[in-house]
Amino acid sequence: MIRVLIVDDERMVCAQLRTILSVAEDLVVVAEAYDGAEAVEAVVRHRPHVVLMDLHMPGVDGLAAIEHIARFPAPPKVVVLTTFDRDGYVLRAMSLGAAGFLLKDTPPEDLIGLVRVAADGHTVLSPAATRRLLTASAGHGAARERALARIADLTDREVEVLTCLGEGLSNAKIARRLYLSEATIKSYVSRMLVKLGLSNRTQAGLLASEAGLTGVARRPG
């Protein structure tokens, strides 16, 4: 069973999500939390595999909770639930280690499938939200220079893979574009995340956007 913790200060939202997830035989909602402090306590007490986390809550917000949870040994996968009223908050959540993000109006059948994807250790992204987030994260001036400095030690091939991540491509699509096997791409991604000190491919995609790589298939300059 995949153990799920729901975190949202609106109890009706929690109830709706619980109802949706209860349809799946392999998912169980182990607890609900209504602010970030309760979320951290619930992670310790209930050991969920996936946390569905709202960001805007009174008291301890979702960002602080994500940062705290990320420090736990073998932390659960935290998926941000957002209405995208503020892109900056979602960008910050990704940088703190969130495994992905979903719009709150994600269709029920998609939500169930994406919780399973997160539990398997994969990044969870809403395609429409991804495009908006990458646009919001595009670096300018000093931010772009910092991003370029971070990727300076990557090989040309790693930069190509990073560029593809910035475009939101799956491993299979990257493999087809670069004429490599999917296993090779997976190896490149894993090695690159370690080299860059990143937690997941979402963070890598955001870094690519900040560096201005999106839509470019070679190292700048």
Side-chain angles (χ1 to χ4, degrees):
M1 295 290 286
I2 298 172
R3 300 165 62 82
V4 182
L5 168 64
I6 300 172
V7 185
D8 198 298
D9 63 312
E10 295 187 28
R11 293 175 184 262
M12 184 173 294
V13 172
C14 290
Q16 291 172 340
L17 290 171
R18 180 184 283 272
T19 298
I20 290 170
L21 297 179
S22 67
V23 174
E25 295 182 355
D26 59 334
L27 304 181
V28 57
V29 176
V30 294
E32 298 174 10
Y34 308 110
D35 65 29
E38 290 184 7
V40 173
E41 293 176 2
V43 167
V44 174
R45 183 178 302 113
H46 298 284
R47 305 287 183 181
H49 300 110
V50 177
V51 179
L52 298 179
M53 178 80 74
D54 184 31
L55 293 182
H56 308 301
M57 296 178 288
V60 179
D61 65 10
L63 291 176
I66 292 169
E67 187 172 18
H68 196 122
I69 291 169
R71 298 195 192 108
F72 291 153
K77 303 299 181 183
V78 179
V79 178
V80 172
L81 294 174
T82 178
T83 54
F84 264 103
D85 52 335
R86 293 182 184 177
D87 296 320
Y89 278 83
V90 181
L91 285 169
R92 178 64 176 154
M94 296 299 104
S95 71
L96 291 172
F101 51 94
L102 297 173
L103 299 179
K104 285 189 175 182
D105 60 358
T106 298
E109 61 275 14
D110 291 346
L111 178 63
I112 290 172
L114 290 169
V115 167
R116 292 177 178 138
V117 168
D120 284 339
H122 300 292
T123 302
V124 175
L125 303 171
S126 164
T130 301
R131 288 191 292 272
R132 178 170 173 177
L133 187 62
L134 290 175
T135 298
S137 69
H140 302 281
R144 181 172 182 179
E145 290 303 315
R146 287 193 298 270
L148 288 171
R150 288 189 67 183
I151 67 172
D153 291 334
L154 297 182
T155 66
D156 289 341
R157 181 65 83 184
E158 286 170 338
V159 171
E160 289 178 329
V161 173
L162 182 63
T163 299
C164 292
L165 293 178
E167 294 175 10
L169 300 184
S170 66
N171 286 349
K173 289 182 178 179
I174 298 173
R176 287 196 293 270
R177 174 181 289 187
L178 301 182
Y179 301 101
L180 297 171
S181 71
E182 191 169 345
T184 298
I185 296 301
K186 185 176 181 180
S187 177
Y188 268 117
V189 171
S190 298
R191 188 166 59 246
M192 188 169 54
L193 291 179
V194 173
K195 186 181 290 189
L196 294 171
L198 302 175
S199 301
N200 53 55
R201 60 194 294 130
T202 306
Q203 292 179 346
L206 295 177
L207 179 61
S209 182
E210 289 173 358
L213 295 180
T214 308
V216 182
R218 57 180 177 83
R219 186 192 299 272

